[in-house]
Amino acid sequence: MAGWLLPPALPLLVLLCAQPCLCARAPASSQAVTARLAAKWPATPLLLEASEFIAEDGNEKFWQFLETVRELTVYKQGDSEHSYYNLILKKAGQFLSNLQINLLKFALSIRAYSPTVQMFQQIAADEHPPEGCSAFVVIHEKHTCKTNEIKKLLKKATKRPRPYLFKGDHKFPTLKEDGPVVVLYAEMGTKDFVKFHRILSEKAQKEEIVYVLRHYIQKPSSRKMYLSGYGVELAVKSTEYKAVDDTQLKGMWWDHRI
């Protein structure tokens, strides 16, 4: 499997944002302590993590997977989490081998791609998302969450500063790279994402724009993000002292007379 498309500073981000959580204690007789490592960011959607796994296998596969899961979150409301998880694997199986599916299962179990999703979430936060919008676009420093304003913002876009694109950004596959850049911040699988994606993908295919997608979750989960695969050492020292009656001790060095 190809190397992760993560910025060099991301491992440091994980270390800074992760904190050990003492969550359970075994009976005193076993003298054992169980600890879990909880991140400071909330749990990220498995669908987005799966998309990052597929992105490592190729940009085109990422966009092909995206097309098959455009409104997948509608199933999340009525199905159990296990059923939704299996549905994600079924969709991913159209683009991955059996070995890769097993690797995807492992990656999802240890939440290996959660830091990548959170990285995009932090980038979106720096853009100051419009209030009440679950999806929005940034066109050369201009923001909108209304699709009917895209055409107006594109007219003089090239006269404004071009946005900086990161190595891990997801660019819609086109040959033209010098057009106005439209960055969509949205959560794939939602209706609002589909609304924007339909318009932007058509413009990108006509080579009118450079279309970039970044993950954005308007309402993050309330559940904690527990991380696996990180070595944690927890040193516990007993401070309990027992009283001993030394009058009952015989044969000790202080009991000998010279």
Side-chain angles (χ1 to χ4, degrees):
M1 186 170 63
W4 293 2
L5 298 177
L6 302 180
L10 190 56
L12 179 60
L13 168 69
V14 174
L15 292 177
L16 291 177
C17 294
Q19 57 182 4
C21 172
L22 188 62
C23 54
R25 187 162 191 159
S29 58
S30 67
Q31 299 295 316
V33 175
T34 301
R36 285 191 292 178
L37 192 65
K40 289 186 177 180
W41 67 84
T44 50
L46 291 179
L47 178 60
L48 305 188
E49 294 180 30
S51 74
E52 289 300 322
F53 178 92
I54 293 175
E56 291 191 347
D57 203 33
N59 187 51
E60 290 191 5
K61 281 191 177 182
F62 170 85
W63 290 97
Q64 290 169 358
F65 174 71
L66 181 148
E67 288 291 339
T68 66
V69 299
R70 289 194 300 176
E71 294 190 56
L72 195 67
T73 53
V74 298
Y75 298 99
K76 189 176 182 180
Q77 308 301 325
D79 293 354
S80 65
E81 288 189 9
H82 183 68
S83 298
Y84 186 64
Y85 167 80
N86 287 331
L87 182 58
I88 293 173
L89 294 179
K90 182 179 178 180
K91 295 290 186 180
Q94 300 178 38
F95 312 99
L96 303 175
S97 65
N98 291 334
L99 174 59
Q100 288 175 315
I101 285 294
N102 288 332
L103 290 173
L104 173 59
K105 291 179 180 178
F106 177 70
L108 294 178
S109 68
I110 65 172
R111 313 308 295 269
Y113 292 87
S114 180
T116 307
V117 176
Q118 178 61 20
M119 176 191 68
F120 285 112
Q121 186 75 357
Q122 290 182 348
I123 294 173
D126 291 338
E127 290 289 351
H128 305 290
E131 189 174 351
C133 299
S134 61
F136 66 99
V137 292
V138 179
I139 305 175
H140 291 237
E141 299 185 342
K142 297 292 184 179
H143 301 62
T144 183
C145 56
K146 297 179 180 179
T147 55
N148 58 6
E149 293 183 354
I150 294 177
K151 186 177 180 180
K152 180 182 68 175
L153 295 180
L154 282 171
K155 286 184 178 179
K156 298 182 179 180
T158 55
K159 295 182 179 180
R160 299 190 296 271
R162 190 179 179 87
Y164 178 82
L165 298 182
F166 299 95
K167 184 180 179 181
D169 273 328
H170 304 296
K171 290 195 295 183
F172 192 86
T174 55
L175 297 176
K176 189 174 181 180
E177 297 285 343
D178 58 350
V181 179
V182 180
V183 182
L184 171 61
Y185 292 90
E187 182 181 353
M188 69 168 62
T190 62
K191 290 183 178 180
D192 286 334
F193 161 76
V194 174
K195 183 174 59 175
F196 277 98
H197 174 71
R198 185 180 295 112
I199 296 172
L200 298 180
S201 59
E202 288 179 359
K203 288 185 176 296
Q205 288 171 357
K206 295 177 182 178
E207 297 189 342
E208 295 177 3
I209 63 170
V210 176
Y211 169 24
V212 177
L213 171 66
R214 291 174 181 168
H215 302 303
Y216 169 63
I217 306 138
Q218 181 192 22
K219 297 179 180 179
S221 172
S222 57
R223 294 184 302 172
K224 286 186 177 181
M225 181 73 240
Y226 290 108
L227 304 176
S228 301
Y230 296 87
V232 179
E233 179 180 348
L234 186 62
V236 180
K237 180 180 180 181
S238 175
T239 57
E240 297 179 0
Y241 296 90
K242 296 181 179 179
V244 178
D245 184 4
D246 58 6
T247 61
Q248 304 299 321
L249 299 177
K250 301 295 182 180
M252 302 301 291
W253 66 271
W254 60 78
D255 193 49
H256 291 278
R257 303 291 187 269
I258 298 178

